[in-house]
Amino acid sequence: MIAATELRIGNLFWDNYGGYYIVRGLRTKKDGNPWDIEAQHVRGGLIGAFTFEQAIPVALTPEILEKCGFVKDTDIWHGDGISYYHLPIAGMEDVTDNIDIRFGSEEDDTGAIDAVFVGQQDIKHIRSLHHLQNLIYVLTGKELIYTT
């Protein structure tokens, strides 16, 4: 389940059956409307209505990061199981050159992002794609796009 306060238009989530959906609208429950989220399947076409309970956060993995445009830094080595990624955005190099992700940690064997670095600021434990999407949007004013 994703809390209503965490979602915004453009965020990605899983449904109960494992499909990726992009939030296209958020609704109120006034007038007996049972649905909270209007979303479109990432491959286009299919639009569905979901409750917040049906929206499942997308766990961050190296594959998800790469589908969102992150590039693995192969010249940085920090130990077993730790990878670094950066996000190149055309015209935003002054901002995104300072956004780095450390994936994995000696202290945390969940395989989740251990930290997002913005300049020297360390933002710990971002576990879900919608959190990362929201952070990138706040920092850059641009959407983090997932490609299939």
Side-chain angles (χ1 to χ4, degrees), residues 2-19:
I2 299 176
T5 56
E6 295 180 5
L7 274 183
R8 63 177 189 78
I9 293 172
N11 282 157
L12 234 70
F13 67 90
W14 282 98
D15 72 352
N16 291 343
Y17 303 102

Side-chain angles (χ1 to χ4, degrees), residues 26-129:
L26 299 171
R27 303 176 180 178
T28 63
K29 290 205 177 194
K30 66 181 181 182
D31 301 324
N33 179 9
W35 308 109
D36 302 305
I37 305 166
E38 182 178 303
Q40 185 173 18
H41 196 275
V42 294
R43 296 209 171 131
L46 184 63
I47 294 179
F50 302 87
T51 64
F52 290 115
E53 291 77 22
Q54 292 172 312
I56 302 167
V58 176
L60 289 167
T61 65
E63 294 77 22
I64 293 290
L65 290 175
E66 289 169 10
K67 286 186 175 200
C68 290
F70 281 87
V71 177
K72 186 174 184 176
D73 292 320
T74 56
D75 59 339
I76 299 175
W77 185 84
H78 192 271
D80 292 336
I82 297 177
S83 301
Y84 284 86
Y85 293 82
H86 71 276
L87 179 64
I89 298 177
M92 296 295 294
E93 289 82 3
D94 58 325
V95 175
T96 58
D97 278 350
N98 292 314
I99 298 176
D100 297 302
I101 289 182
R102 182 175 65 217
F103 191 87
S105 168
E106 291 97 349
E107 298 95 32
D108 182 359
D109 61 359
T110 63
I113 285 179
D114 175 57
V116 175
F117 298 97
V118 181
Q120 297 299 313
Q121 182 64 41
D122 184 358
I123 303 168
K124 293 231 178 242
H125 307 296
I126 293 179
R127 305 261 184 229
S128 301
L129 179 56

